[in-house]
Amino acid sequence: MNILSMLLTLALVSPGTLTPASLEQFYVEPNQAAVLEFSGKPKEGSEEFKIYNSDGKMIASGKGNPKDKGISVPVNLPQGYYELEFPSENCRFGILSFPAFKPKPDPFFAIDGALSWLVKSPEKRSDLVKIARRSGISMIRGRLRWSEIEPKQGEFIFDGSRSYHAVQEACLKNGVEFLEVIHDAPDWTGKVGKFPKDLVKTSQSWKKMAEERGAWWNALEVWNEPDISFSGKLPADQYTPLLKTIQRTYKANRVKIRVVGGVLSGFNKDWMESAKKNGLADHCDVFSFHTYSRANAVEGIFSRYQGWLADCGTPGKELWLTECGRPWKRGTDRPSEIEDRISAIDITMKGVEAKACKIDRYFPFVYPYYEERDNNFGMLGKNLAPLRSFAGYSVLIRSLSGKGFIGDLNNLPPGTEKARVFGNAAGEKTIVFYQSNPTKGSRILLPGKPLQILRITGEMLTMDQKNEADFSDGFLLVSYQPQFARFSIRQNSGAYRINAERTRAQAYPKTAQNGSPIVLSYLYDTDWITPSPNGYLIRKDAKKLHLILKATNISDMNITANFSFIKDGVNVPSSEWAVKNLYAKSAISIPFEISDVSSLSDFKPLEFIFAVRSGGHVLDALVLKFTKAISLDHIAKYPLEVKKIDLSDLKNWKKNLPACAKSEFFKKEELKSPAAWGFKASFGECDRWIYPIFTLPADLDLSQQDGILIRAKCKGSEDTAVRIFCVEEDGESFISNGSLIAPDGQWNDGSISFDKMGLIGKFKNGKLDRGKIKKIYIGCNTKGKDLDLQVADFYFYQKKNEKGKQK
């Protein structure tokens, strides 16, 4: 999630003059008398209140009891979600009437809190930690700016303006585990992109922090979303040295804090391949990732990450989903009833899917009120009282804690899409019924004799004489006692297969490698190299490539080691750097030159392995991937067949941009050769993107094509990314990862293989069906206020075999 937006957001009190005495009072026991107290000088008539149920229907009204400098409101509510309104104050407070969770929390149920960044009041932070424990939440995810707590090397400030220590102390006192997250590096570490350059200082710093924070931190996520702009858009081989440094430091010093690696925003195939080869899965105790896709898509997404872990040889690695949300439109103190319910069902159902797929921990995003660009991701209102999304998650925790996924109901009732069945050792079962497009007033035929039927917000429902219950939400939690839980279950869904694979693998766990004290890294030169999440692009006029490779010894011992370089699978011998002395807590730089890069391209990349050995053991290895910018002037030299697409007819284009943006297509007379099409755009304050939609010719068959070649010119801010979407006829969309060209105002050539495009939007089989591509989007994401993009040539290409025939 956007860090700057998060840092600027402050969760404060509600509008008006009445302030709740505490946040805990909004969580009451069902059918028990409680008193809600508010302080402050009331407005005239502000003692008038109304109470609404989860459907927005007023169920009570009256006058609050005056008290010294405030009023109190007595309530006695059945189980469910409610809202207390003070009309004269123009504000509402959510109330969750649901039993407190008393057992030890199920580790699966966690939450992304960011309390140090998003909540200023120490009392409110403490209240929110207590509420989390009352709700059955096992772990809270935090945020930490390394540069704030260690502005000078060795000088730590854990209880500064953000009160990091206070939040962690509250978690410790209330029995809630704490996951810390690194978000930056201080300037004194040096920088490679945004990562620390000096790994000796990094090791010393995180060793000291472990000594200071060992009692408060249960786990540490190494960086946040290193696959995108939070790292400076670098490949995985720039991230893994930091992960290895911290993991190896902690292993060597027997630190009990668990190291969490990955923390990914999405599944970029090139980034993931580099991460695999550079040992990411072997150098963390837990692998984590994020997704903001809808509930129906996440099973396929989980499958991709599980497949990657299996390819890494770690199929049983703990897998945490540490950000997963469904926002509502920003601009108000709380969402509308419809938006809130949609958010609640999607967040809760994604928790169901995660538990079904045996994801080990689930962290909805985000606990407090939080606006980011066009959205608000908060599960609490601006006054920090609960919304339906937090109510739904609390209900899910009560219903599924201690239960595991055992399969899907064999015969789905009409009108349902999913019926996930969970059970425990005592034979108790809970079925989660789900429909992504519910119809108000619809009903569902339930099997057997349920013990309890719960709506998304916790209200109890009953069956009629036909064994039917209201299914207007498209979501029900239906529980059964053992004697009434005999129904047919199938065990062949994708979720069950993922669950079974993880269960088998976790029976024989593979621990993270202890590793060695030697960490290898690459210091790229931006005069010749453009890094991206996909690897390193060599400047097209470069004839040679000069590399500076670095070996860091983070230990207290001197080590003599042998170095080797493998280029295109062949060892490159040299007496100059074969043996080196690596002194304790120091680093050396090793130069290497690749004499000829003229033949490199996106179709013929170079893989380069830098390895260090001692005593016959590999201490570390660094795998780098290089390509060279393609020139469309040399298409003939590549084994390709191309189909050129004419983009110039504006009738085939449709605008696609946010409300804050303005855009115009260039008229033909405004374009200068070789440009065939383009647009200019300007943006206000919002999420800045623009992707005009081009409808492909109806008779165009792309089933045998392999990718896209483009010549384009983009003038925009440095962070501008030029991308292409391919959209199938059913709406499933795939996007190029990283920018196809530099936004430098010059004509550049770029390419993207269909195999390397990432899924976005719907999820069917997770694979791009080339024959079904009907539309393409060509445009940009940017943080700048203005940009223009012009395209000269656009081709679909097909590779040929060595004899020149189409494959």
Side-chain angles (χ1 to χ4, degrees):
M1 290 275 87
N2 185 279
I3 304 306
L4 179 60
S5 297
M6 184 175 284
L7 288 174
L8 294 175
T9 300
L10 299 176
L12 303 175
V13 299
S14 62
T17 56
L18 293 179
T19 303
S22 78
L23 300 179
E24 290 182 88
Q25 67 181 355
F26 297 118
Y27 301 82
V28 301
E29 291 292 323
N31 303 307
Q32 292 187 20
V35 177
L36 308 182
E37 297 185 342
F38 299 85
S39 61
K41 184 179 180 181
K43 293 179 181 178
E44 184 67 27
S46 64
E47 68 277 5
E48 299 284 345
F49 70 84
K50 297 178 181 179
I51 296 178
Y52 299 85
N53 67 11
S54 182
D55 292 319
K57 180 181 178 181
M58 190 178 74
I59 60 169
S61 62
K63 290 187 177 182
N65 299 318
K67 49 174 276 189
D68 185 31
K69 296 182 179 180
I71 60 174
S72 63
V73 177
V75 295
N76 191 325
L77 299 169
Q79 184 169 297
Y81 173 81
Y82 302 88
E83 291 176 356
L84 170 67
E85 180 186 46
F86 294 100
S88 65
E89 296 284 307
N90 191 30
C91 65
R92 288 192 181 193
F93 298 88
I95 304 170
L96 179 56
S97 177
F98 207 67
F101 189 91
K102 299 294 178 63
K104 182 180 179 180
D106 182 333
F108 172 81
F109 294 103
I111 200 165
D112 193 343
L115 298 180
S116 294
W117 287 13
L118 298 184
V119 183
K120 267 201 162 183
S121 163
E123 294 79 13
K124 288 181 171 58
R125 290 171 177 163
S126 180
D127 276 358
L128 291 176
V129 172
K130 293 174 185 176
I131 290 164
R133 177 59 187 89
R134 182 194 188 276
S135 303
I137 288 170
S138 66
M139 178 178 274
I140 292 178
R141 185 177 189 241
R143 295 293 189 287
L144 180 146
R145 291 188 69 84
W146 182 4
S147 57
E148 285 182 350
I149 65 169
E150 195 180 5
K152 295 182 180 179
Q153 187 183 7
E155 297 182 12
F156 294 91
I157 307 170
F158 286 105
D159 212 12
S161 61
R162 298 197 194 282
S163 299
Y164 291 116
H165 178 82
V167 172
Q168 296 157 18
E169 181 72 15
C171 286
L172 186 65
K173 286 182 178 179
N174 288 280
V176 179
E177 293 183 314
F178 190 77
L179 169 64
E180 192 55 279
V181 188
I182 310 173
H183 265 286
D184 70 333
D187 290 339
W188 51 261
T189 64
K191 298 287 182 69
V192 180
K194 297 183 181 180
F195 294 129
K197 181 178 180 181
D198 191 323
L199 299 181
V200 171
K201 290 180 179 179
T202 297
S203 174
Q204 293 170 332
S205 176
W206 286 95
K207 179 177 181 291
K208 182 64 175 177
M209 273 195 268
E211 294 169 355
E212 294 281 343
R213 311 312 298 165
W216 288 270
W217 294 353
N218 298 95
L220 173 70
E221 274 190 314
V222 180
W223 219 258
N224 182 66
E225 299 183 348
D227 53 325
I228 56 172
S229 58
F230 296 138
S231 72
K233 299 180 181 178
L234 298 182
D237 59 79
Q238 292 292 341
Y239 167 68
T240 50
L242 171 63
L243 177 66
K244 291 175 180 178
T245 297
I246 295 176
Q247 186 263 351
R248 291 172 178 181
T249 298
Y250 282 9
K251 291 293 181 183
N253 291 278
R254 298 182 180 180
V255 173
K256 293 183 179 180
I257 298 168
R258 307 185 73 196
V259 176
V260 184
V263 206
L264 303 181
S265 69
F267 196 99
N268 177 332
K269 291 181 181 179
D270 283 332
W271 201 98
M272 297 300 289
E273 183 66 17
S274 174
K276 180 180 73 174
K277 292 179 178 179
N278 282 283
L280 191 159
D282 284 326
H283 289 89
C284 57
D285 302 302
V286 177
F287 179 82
S288 73
F289 66 102
H290 302 161
T291 180
Y292 288 85
S293 295
R294 296 187 182 273
N296 272 337
V298 294
E299 179 187 305
I301 293 169
F302 300 159
S303 178
R304 299 182 81 184
Y305 284 108
Q306 179 59 27
W308 181 84
L309 288 176
D311 288 344
C312 293
T314 58
K317 176 76 65 179
E318 277 203 46
L319 196 52
W320 294 4
L321 178 49
T322 55
E323 281 188 25
C324 188
R326 175 55 49 204
W328 41 282
K329 189 174 177 60
R330 71 172 294 166
T332 58
D333 297 343
R334 59 190 305 109
S336 67
E337 185 267 325
I338 294 175
E339 284 185 299
D340 197 12
R341 192 173 301 280
I342 290 172
S343 176
I345 292 171
D346 194 60
I347 288 173
T348 306
M349 188 62 198
K350 283 187 286 197
V352 172
E353 296 296 270
K355 197 166 181 56
C357 292
K358 207 174 177 60
I359 305 301
D360 296 281
R361 290 193 188 243
Y362 177 66
F363 296 74
F365 183 92
V366 61
Y367 192 7
Y369 181 92
Y370 168 52
E371 293 181 319
E372 178 179 299
R373 300 191 180 100
D374 296 336
N375 299 312
N376 193 314
F377 288 86
M379 298 171 73
L380 307 178
K382 194 170 185 178
N383 52 32
L384 299 183
L387 298 177
R388 289 171 180 81
S389 54
F390 189 75
Y393 190 47
S394 300
V395 172
L396 183 71
I397 293 171
R398 291 277 309 188
S399 300
L400 295 190
S401 284
K403 294 187 176 78
F405 180 57
I406 57 177
D408 298 88
L409 195 65
N410 197 30
N411 298 305
L412 285 178
T416 61
E417 292 177 22
K418 294 185 179 182
R420 303 291 200 197
V421 186
F422 298 82
N424 59 20
E428 299 166 336
K429 292 183 176 66
T430 296
I431 306 178
V432 182
F433 293 97
Y434 175 72
Q435 166 59 253
S436 59
N437 295 297
T439 303
K440 188 173 182 179
S442 66
R443 299 187 69 77
I444 181 174
L445 177 64
L446 297 176
K449 184 179 178 182
L451 171 68
Q452 183 175 251
I453 307 168
L454 296 181
R455 289 184 70 185
I456 183 69
T457 42
E459 293 81 11
M460 292 188 184
L461 300 180
T462 58
M463 291 194 305
D464 59 21
Q465 293 180 347
K466 297 179 181 180
N467 275 27
E468 291 183 343
D470 182 74
F471 197 50
S472 295
D473 296 336
F475 185 95
L476 284 181
L477 289 155
V478 185
S479 298
Y480 295 84
Q481 290 180 319
Q483 62 269 35
F484 300 111
R486 299 185 182 93
F487 26 72
S488 178
I489 296 174
R490 62 182 178 89
Q491 298 179 331
N492 61 353
S493 64
Y496 189 83
R497 287 191 292 272
I498 297 169
N499 190 298
E501 179 182 352
R502 292 188 55 73
T503 300
R504 287 192 299 269
Q506 288 177 354
Y508 303 96
K510 180 181 178 181
T511 58
Q513 291 183 0
N514 289 329
S516 77
I518 308 303
V519 181
L520 303 180
S521 55
Y522 168 45
L523 306 179
Y524 58 87
D525 184 349
T526 54
D527 288 340
W528 296 98
I529 293 290
T530 301
S532 79
N534 302 328
Y536 300 98
L537 185 66
I538 305 169
R539 205 170 76 182
K540 59 186 176 184
D541 57 345
K543 301 293 189 296
K544 297 181 179 181
L545 179 60
H546 301 276
L547 305 179
I548 300 296
L549 302 157
K550 184 179 176 184
T552 303
N553 181 358
I554 61 175
S555 76
D556 296 320
M557 299 185 300
N558 297 333
I559 296 174
T560 300
N562 298 80
F563 290 88
S564 66
F565 297 83
I566 299 173
K567 175 178 172 286
D568 282 336
V570 179
N571 190 64
V572 183
S574 175
S575 58
E576 295 181 18
W577 35 252
V579 179
K580 291 285 185 181
N581 291 318
L582 299 172
Y583 297 105
K585 289 185 167 38
S586 67
I588 61 171
S589 295
I590 302 175
F592 185 79
E593 181 178 284
I594 299 175
S595 58
D596 182 14
V597 295
S598 60
S599 64
L600 295 183
S601 73
D602 195 40
F603 306 112
K604 189 181 179 182
L606 166 66
E607 184 172 273
F608 180 77
I609 304 174
F610 174 37
V612 56
R613 293 175 174 84
S614 181
H617 299 287
V618 176
L619 301 182
D620 199 18
L622 183 68
V623 182
L624 309 175
K625 177 186 173 184
F626 297 93
T627 58
K628 194 173 181 183
I630 292 174
S631 171
L632 297 192
D633 296 331
H634 298 95
I635 284 180
K637 69 180 275 190
Y638 299 115
L640 304 176
E641 290 283 347
V642 297
K643 291 185 178 183
K644 187 171 184 178
I645 304 299
D646 182 7
L647 305 178
S648 62
D649 191 346
L650 296 182
K651 293 179 182 178
N652 295 321
W653 286 97
K654 180 181 177 182
K655 290 186 178 182
N656 180 30
L657 66 169
C660 74
K662 295 181 180 179
S663 175
E664 293 296 334
F665 294 124
F666 286 116
K667 298 176 182 177
K668 287 185 178 180
E669 57 268 24
E670 295 177 310
L671 295 169
K672 296 181 180 179
S673 181
W677 169 83
F679 63 82
K680 53 187 173 181
S682 60
F683 300 88
E685 295 303 320
C686 67
D687 193 2
R688 295 171 179 176
W689 57 269
I690 177 169
Y691 284 95
I693 302 170
F694 181 80
T695 301
L696 293 168
D699 59 350
L700 181 65
D701 180 10
L702 300 179
S703 58
Q704 300 301 313
Q705 302 303 300
D706 293 303
I708 294 169
L709 301 172
I710 188 171
R711 173 168 290 172
K713 177 172 70 173
C714 179
K715 183 178 180 182
S717 59
E718 189 177 82
D719 58 82
T720 300
V722 179
R723 292 175 173 157
I724 293 174
F725 286 76
C726 289
V727 184
E728 297 178 8
E729 58 191 3
D730 62 1
E732 192 163 37
S733 302
F734 293 77
I735 187 172
S736 57
N737 293 303
S739 186
L740 291 171
I741 62 168
D744 57 7
Q746 304 297 317
W747 286 106
N748 292 291
D749 297 336
S751 68
I752 180 67
S753 165
F754 286 142
D755 288 337
K756 295 179 180 178
M757 298 191 81
L759 176 73
I760 188 168
K762 296 181 181 179
F763 201 105
K764 295 290 180 65
N765 57 16
K767 296 181 180 180
L768 177 59
D769 189 335
R770 303 164 195 195
K772 294 183 178 180
I773 297 173
K774 299 301 178 184
K775 296 179 181 179
I776 56 172
Y777 300 4
I778 305 176
C780 310
N781 289 84
T782 186
K783 292 183 180 177
K785 292 187 176 181
D786 300 281
L787 66 82
D788 69 61
L789 175 68
Q790 298 178 48
V791 179
D793 296 293
F794 187 96
Y795 299 90
F796 292 106
Y797 71 80
Q798 181 181 3
K799 294 180 182 178
K800 297 184 291 186
N801 61 24
E802 293 180 357
K803 295 181 180 180
K805 296 180 180 179
Q806 293 179 349
K807 63 179 186 60

